[in-house]
Amino acid sequence: MNEISHAQSSLVEEDVPSTDSERAIAEVWTEVLNLDEVGRHDNFFDLGGHSVLATQAVARLCVALGRQLPERALFDWPTVATLASALPDYPVSDQGSRITRR
């Protein structure tokens, strides 16, 4: 996905994702929800998300953020900002335990 610069964004300054975590979450959501941009206070479900898309988003977020997020993470933390603020509560993914196919 192409990054949207501050100048190209239609978001007001207070709503532009400002941390690396917020930007990563917003990027995943734009892909899963097929949107041009997502603000830090946007609600996943208000943007058209539903349980199947939430499952897809969480799977992508686990990889993008390197955290073990439960499937219900977006139900508990439905905005970019609230999910980003909750990340320290979730364990870091153990990359060594991934199953590899031969």
Side-chain angles (χ1 to χ4, degrees):
M1 179 185 160
N2 295 334
E3 290 188 32
I4 298 173
S5 73
H6 242 359
Q8 296 172 324
S9 176
S10 64
L11 298 171
V12 293
E13 188 173 338
E14 305 83 47
D15 207 31
V16 174
S18 59
T19 67
D20 289 341
S21 295
E22 286 181 358
R23 285 187 286 276
I25 293 166
E27 183 175 337
V28 168
W29 289 14
T30 58
E31 293 170 1
V32 170
L33 298 171
N34 196 28
L35 298 171
D36 291 332
E37 61 187 5
V38 172
R40 66 186 309 266
H41 300 295
D42 288 337
N43 182 299
F44 181 82
F45 300 100
D46 291 345
L47 294 173
H50 50 73
S51 59
V52 173
L53 290 176
T55 301
Q56 292 175 10
V58 168
R60 291 183 187 194
L61 288 168
C62 288
V63 173
L65 299 169
R67 295 282 179 169
Q68 296 176 23
L69 301 174
E71 287 188 14
R72 67 170 288 107
L74 293 181
F75 294 93
D76 293 336
W77 313 105
T79 70
V80 170
T82 58
L83 182 57
S85 69
L87 289 178
D89 295 335
Y90 295 107
V92 173
S93 294
D94 180 13
Q95 300 296 329
S97 67
R98 289 191 177 183
I99 298 172
T100 56
R101 294 186 182 217
R102 296 177 191 225

